[in-house]
Amino acid sequence: MSTTDVIDDTSHIPAELLPVMEALALVGRSLCRTIKRGPLGGSLGAGVGENLGGDQQKALDVMADDAFAEELKSTAVRYYASEEQDDVVELNPDGRFALAIDPLDGSSNIDVNVSIGTIFSIFEAKNGDPDGSFLRPADEQLAGGYIIYGPQTYIVVTFGNGVQSYIYDPDTNAWKLVETAHKVPPQASEFAINASNYRHWSPAIRAYIDDMLAGETGPHERNFNMRWVASLVAETHRIMSRGGIFLYPGDERKGYERGRLRMVYECAPIAFLIEQAGGKATDGHDRIMTQQARELHARTPFVFGSAEKVARVAAYQDLPTDEVNALFGNRGLFRA
Ligand SMILES: O=P(O)(O)OC[C@H]1O[C@](O)(COP(=O)(O)O)[C@@H](O)[C@@H]1O
Ligand SMILES: [Mg+2]
Ligand SMILES: [Mg+2]
């Protein structure tokens, strides 16, 4: 078993990516400590600016972005694309990789002690083509993963050969391999969606959710539970752990026609992980992994989780309009 003082078992990490993973792990354990100290380290949730996507930047967003960019400079990452940077940044001109990152995901939870995270995606760089290194099919990713800063702190990652997870051990200050082939449970009774947007959804999404809310009185003939943490990494970790489905569809709000989540540094890496764990990830109908972003901060509707549930959402989208009506409860196609 190969090991370093940062990651205790590196046998599942491709050798050429090990320095990059160690850099992410170093910053991850430092961010873990900063987040656990909360206000003792200053106001992590204070507004400090606005990013290209129009989201308010919090102090921890910028702190995390700076820390990852600085640490990755000494690795083979040539191009760095971040939620917090308007354009691609060249870190190491001699590098061979392109890394996309959401340095701090779930920013609305920074000040309320709810799990937050980091999401990362790694491609082979296209020399002299910074944007083209990221605007390409998601299935060209070499790695996709997240760090979740919660009651436990984990790195969950795939290199295309199943999903591994490492837990941060504060006693040894190292990351310990705890899972080598994680699978998303195929059955589940939880769905995650921001229900406050109900009136803005398409008829198909409303019908799908109405049928879930109808529970045992509707076509599924059983009850479901709902979750919404407003932290994509926390929702992903729950679904990776016990199954379920997550939906952030496009809606009628201005700027939300393609939903809220970004393809390059949120949806593509999560989709890679979920598919490697036996789940599905789509834009509500088509696989994320065969799609590519047209610009760095492009959004996409995003549905992922237990395979059978994700497939069912696509079936609602295929129904003729006059049938997409939750009162039309005898749709045999959707009986549980
Ligand atoms: O506040 P909303 O509309 O429910 O959106 C919540 C979603 O927004 C996000 O916080 C966006 O990510 P950032 O915090 O990195 O901008 C996701 O983590 C989460 O799933
Ligand atoms: Mg995010
Ligand atoms: Mg973010």
Side-chain angles (χ1 to χ4, degrees):
M1 177 183 82
S2 56
T3 183
T4 71
D5 63 359
V6 180
I7 301 173
D8 80 330
D9 177 345
T10 61
S11 55
H12 294 268
I13 302 173
E16 68 276 12
L17 286 174
L18 182 54
V20 180
M21 288 307 298
E22 285 205 305
L24 294 171
L26 275 170
V27 176
R29 72 182 185 187
S30 163
L31 273 178
C32 173
R33 282 198 298 272
T34 300
I35 291 163
K36 285 192 183 307
R37 296 191 71 243
L40 297 176
S43 169
L44 302 179
V48 293
E50 191 174 283
N51 63 23
L52 188 75
D55 289 344
Q56 187 193 52
Q57 284 181 314
K58 306 280 178 72
L60 190 60
D61 283 323
V62 176
M63 196 189 294
D65 186 45
D66 292 346
F68 282 112
E70 186 56 35
E71 193 63 41
L72 287 164
K73 275 179 187 161
S74 60
T75 73
V77 171
R78 179 169 182 185
Y79 298 129
Y80 177 82
S82 165
E83 176 186 0
E84 308 310 333
Q85 302 282 343
D86 293 354
D87 304 306
V88 175
V89 176
E90 184 168 68
L91 295 183
N92 173 359
D94 302 322
R96 60 173 282 200
F97 299 116
L99 184 139
I101 192 165
D102 177 354
L104 208 287
D105 174 70
S107 305
S108 65
N109 289 319
I110 291 172
D111 275 339
V112 294
N113 199 21
V114 170
S115 298
I116 48 184
T118 297
I119 308 170
F120 59 90
S121 164
I122 306 174
F123 289 101
E124 199 77 52
K126 291 185 178 179
N127 284 335
D129 187 0
D131 284 359
S133 295
F134 299 101
L135 306 183
R136 64 206 282 188
D139 59 13
E140 293 179 5
Q141 290 176 93
L142 301 176
Y146 62 82
I147 305 173
I148 182 167
Y149 313 99
Q152 297 101 45
T153 296
Y154 281 94
I155 295 175
V156 179
V157 61
T158 184
F159 301 99
N161 190 18
V163 174
Q164 288 81 49
S165 52
Y166 303 77
I167 192 166
Y168 171 61
D169 179 354
D171 292 347
T172 62
N173 200 25
W175 296 85
K176 298 217 180 308
L177 179 64
V178 287
E179 283 211 74
T180 59
H182 189 80
K183 290 293 177 196
V184 175
Q187 279 312 323
S189 300
E190 283 177 333
F191 65 96
I193 195 165
N194 182 336
S196 71
N197 297 323
Y198 181 91
R199 66 186 185 282
H200 304 301
W201 296 335
S202 70
I205 294 293
R206 256 188 267 178
Y208 176 79
I209 296 297
D210 284 346
D211 285 350
M212 301 288 273
L213 294 173
E216 59 194 13
T217 67
H220 295 283
E221 297 174 328
R222 67 189 181 95
N223 295 324
F224 297 89
N225 213 339
M226 199 193 94
R227 294 283 184 272
W228 190 251
V229 185
S231 175
L232 174 60
V233 169
E235 318 272 10
T236 305
H237 198 76
R238 184 190 60 251
I239 289 171
M240 291 289 277
S241 307
R242 64 181 188 218
I245 185 169
F246 171 100
L247 304 93
Y248 209 119
D251 66 49
E252 288 175 345
R253 288 175 294 164
K254 185 174 177 338
Y256 282 79
E257 300 78 7
R258 299 285 294 154
R260 175 183 179 128
L261 301 172
R262 282 54 60 101
M263 177 66 174
V264 169
Y265 41 78
E266 290 175 314
C267 304
I270 298 295
F272 190 13
L273 271 175
I274 289 288
E275 287 202 354
Q276 283 288 313
K280 283 187 186 293
T282 70
D283 60 4
H285 194 272
D286 301 315
R287 272 183 81 207
I288 289 290
M289 290 295 277
T290 55
Q291 299 183 47
Q292 64 185 66
R294 283 184 176 64
E295 59 90 19
L296 213 47
H297 301 281
R299 299 181 181 199
T300 176
F302 195 29
V303 177
F304 68 86
S306 300
E308 175 268 330
K309 298 215 162 310
V310 174
R312 183 169 290 181
V313 174
Y316 273 73
Q317 312 270 18
D318 290 337
L319 278 176
T321 310
D322 60 345
E323 271 202 50
V324 179
N325 175 343
L327 301 181
F328 198 76
N330 63 357
R331 282 191 298 271
L333 170 61
F334 300 129
R335 290 219 177 283

